[in-house]
Amino acid sequence: EDKVVQSPLSLVVHEGDTVTLNCSYEVTNFRSLLWYKQEKKAPTFLFMLTSSGIEKKSGRLSSILDKKELFSILNITATQTGDSAVYLCAVVVLGVNRDDKIIFGKGTRLHILP
Amino acid sequence: EAQVTQNPRYLITVTGKKLTVTCSQNMNHEYMSWYRQDPGLGLRQIYYSMNVEVTDKGDVPEGYKVSRKEKRNFPLILESPSPNQTSLYFCASSFRQGTPFFGQGTRLTVV
């Protein structure tokens, strides 16, 4: 059975700290890995990763994928209180009907203390 | 503005009373799906649709129905809601092999 596991489930740090969120997966027919940020409403898209070793970067956020070891990390440097959210990792696989299927992890709840 | 619109945003209903949650997207996306999000369980897919008149079950389809008569709309139907369907529901859409774009969510409580 395909699965996506995120760790830690919850994390509390002080403003200015750097955090690393982890996402490991066991799937067949991997297509891509997605990161989302969810505050109180809908998840908003952060990154899509398809190739190993190529870092995606947006401001203080960056992410990288390791397709050999089957994991991805999301780094946030110089954290701010506005980074407090649930971060979701999802893996896109090719389903049995040749449709894309998306499997979400349970998320990491990040809380930044001022 | 590109968006996925769900209605209603909040709903409290009683067991057994049929309800429909609407979802509409204005991006001409082929792919639409419904998720429910529950504490400790994450986002789980209920149903998805690859295109008009093409729908398929996700991981937790029991107790739900969908239809895709038009490309932009993908309503979620609960014929006889039960308390275990109390949840936060998200509709999402994307181009084929694109990244899902989520609606704002519908918080449903069934008493």
Side-chain angles (χ1 to χ4, degrees):
Chain A
E1 183 184 339
D2 294 335
K3 63 179 180 180
V4 177
V5 179
Q6 292 186 246
S7 63
L9 289 179
S10 182
L11 186 58
V12 180
V13 300
H14 285 96
E15 205 167 22
D17 288 350
T18 293
V19 297
T20 298
L21 310 183
N22 302 293
C23 176
S24 64
Y25 60 91
E26 290 179 31
V27 302
T28 52
N29 298 315
F30 174 93
R31 291 176 70 83
S32 62
L33 186 143
L34 311 174
W35 283 99
Y36 285 85
K37 177 182 182 182
Q38 186 179 21
E39 295 171 269
K40 294 195 176 176
K41 303 178 189 175
T44 53
F45 172 73
L46 294 174
F47 298 113
M48 180 170 77
L49 302 153
T50 54
S51 302
S52 271
I54 298 175
E55 186 183 54
K56 292 280 183 91
K57 196 168 171 66
S58 176
R60 296 176 294 102
L61 277 66
S62 63
S63 183
I64 198 160
L65 172 67
D66 186 327
K67 289 169 76 173
K68 184 179 175 187
E69 299 297 330
L70 309 183
F71 76 92
S72 173
I73 59 172
L74 176 67
N75 275 323
I76 309 175
T77 59
T79 52
Q80 301 171 358
T81 54
D83 295 326
S84 295
V86 175
Y87 290 84
L88 298 170
C89 172
V91 173
V92 183
V93 301
L94 187 62
V96 291
N97 298 325
R98 305 203 64 77
D99 304 334
D100 279 350
K101 180 181 167 67
I102 301 173
I103 304 146
F104 280 87
K106 294 181 181 179
T108 292
R109 183 174 296 276
L110 176 64
H111 185 65
I112 310 297
L113 297 170
Chain B
E1 181 189 350
Q3 58 187 0
V4 178
T5 304
Q6 294 179 227
N7 277 300
R9 295 287 312 282
Y10 302 91
L11 179 60
I12 301 174
T13 190
V14 296
T15 299
K17 185 176 180 182
K18 181 178 177 180
L19 67 92
T20 299
V21 184
T22 63
C23 174
S24 180
Q25 50 93 5
N26 61 1
M27 295 167 279
N28 203 34
H29 287 163
E30 299 97 353
Y31 189 101
M32 297 185 75
S33 57
W34 276 102
Y35 294 87
R36 61 178 289 174
Q37 188 175 36
D38 302 289
L41 296 176
L43 276 162
R44 294 179 294 167
Q45 191 179 55
I46 304 170
Y47 268 95
Y48 66 96
S49 169
M50 293 302 297
N51 216 323
V52 176
E53 302 292 2
V54 180
T55 64
D56 213 339
K57 295 177 180 178
D59 298 314
V60 288
E62 294 78 20
Y64 304 95
K65 285 172 59 176
V66 292
S67 69
R68 189 92 183 271
K69 293 185 170 59
E70 307 163 278
K71 198 171 188 177
R72 63 183 291 126
N73 295 322
F74 190 46
L76 179 70
I77 303 153
L78 284 73
E79 293 271 3
S80 183
S82 62
N84 65 12
Q85 292 179 298
T86 292
S87 188
L88 178 59
Y89 291 86
F90 288 104
C91 179
S93 73
S94 67
F95 290 115
R96 190 127 192 226
Q97 300 178 15
T99 55
F101 189 80
F102 285 86
Q104 291 300 298
T106 295
R107 188 167 290 282
L108 172 66
T109 302
V110 183
V111 297

